Amino acid sequence: MEKTDEQLLDFDKSRLADWNQERSADALAGEHGALYRNHLEIAQWIDGWVEEMEEGHQIASDPKFQEGFVQGVREIAAHLRQTDLLPDGVLLSDN
């Protein structure tokens, strides 16, 4: 079943360094709305995967490595949510 925009945007926005509600709404309504929705779904999947790892499903024997890995994948989810990885996003634009 397809998720609603409200469901896709149901996450802790205070954890994001550059969350902008207006930019998000523009992305949903714009040319790359379907891609952005896909990015939001991927970010939700990342959240669930990270939660599993934090519940004891270790990927590394070194706790520092595990902590860094979790932080890294959360950064990816944040960039997906902040529209940074859309074709006209700050990380992919030619500027």
Side-chain angles (χ1 to χ4, degrees), residues 23 45 51 55-56 82 94:
R23 186 175 62 229
W45 180 85
E51 286 175 21
E55 292 174 3
Q82 294 172 165
D94 293 334

Side-chain angles (χ1 to χ4, degrees), residues 51-90:
E51 286 175 21
E52 282 185 32
M53 283 192 290
E54 290 179 326
E55 292 174 3
H57 297 88
Q58 297 289 320
I59 60 153
S61 58
D62 182 348
K64 288 285 189 189
F65 179 88
Q66 178 86 10
E67 182 181 321
F69 181 82
V70 167
Q71 181 180 352
V73 294
R74 284 187 182 206
E75 285 289 319
I76 294 168
H79 286 296
L80 290 166
R81 287 180 166 132
Q82 294 172 165
T83 73
D84 297 344
L85 293 165
L86 290 176
D88 54 355
V90 297

Side-chain angles (χ1 to χ4, degrees), residues 8-75:
L8 294 172
L9 293 169
D10 184 21
F11 56 87
D12 183 3
K13 294 156 186 77
S14 69
R15 296 180 67 183
L16 303 181
D18 190 29
W19 174 252
N20 181 300
Q21 180 66 37
E22 185 177 335
R23 186 175 62 229
S24 175
D26 289 347
L28 287 168
E31 175 184 1
H32 303 294
L35 180 59
Y36 183 47
R37 285 178 181 88
N38 178 256
H39 286 187
L40 293 170
E41 286 197 61
I42 292 167
Q44 282 186 342
W45 180 85
I46 289 171
D47 284 347
W49 186 53
V50 167
E51 286 175 21
E52 282 185 32
M53 283 192 290
E54 290 179 326
E55 292 174 3
H57 297 88
Q58 297 289 320
I59 60 153
S61 58
D62 182 348
K64 288 285 189 189
F65 179 88
Q66 178 86 10
E67 182 181 321
F69 181 82
V70 167
Q71 181 180 352
V73 294
R74 284 187 182 206
E75 285 289 319

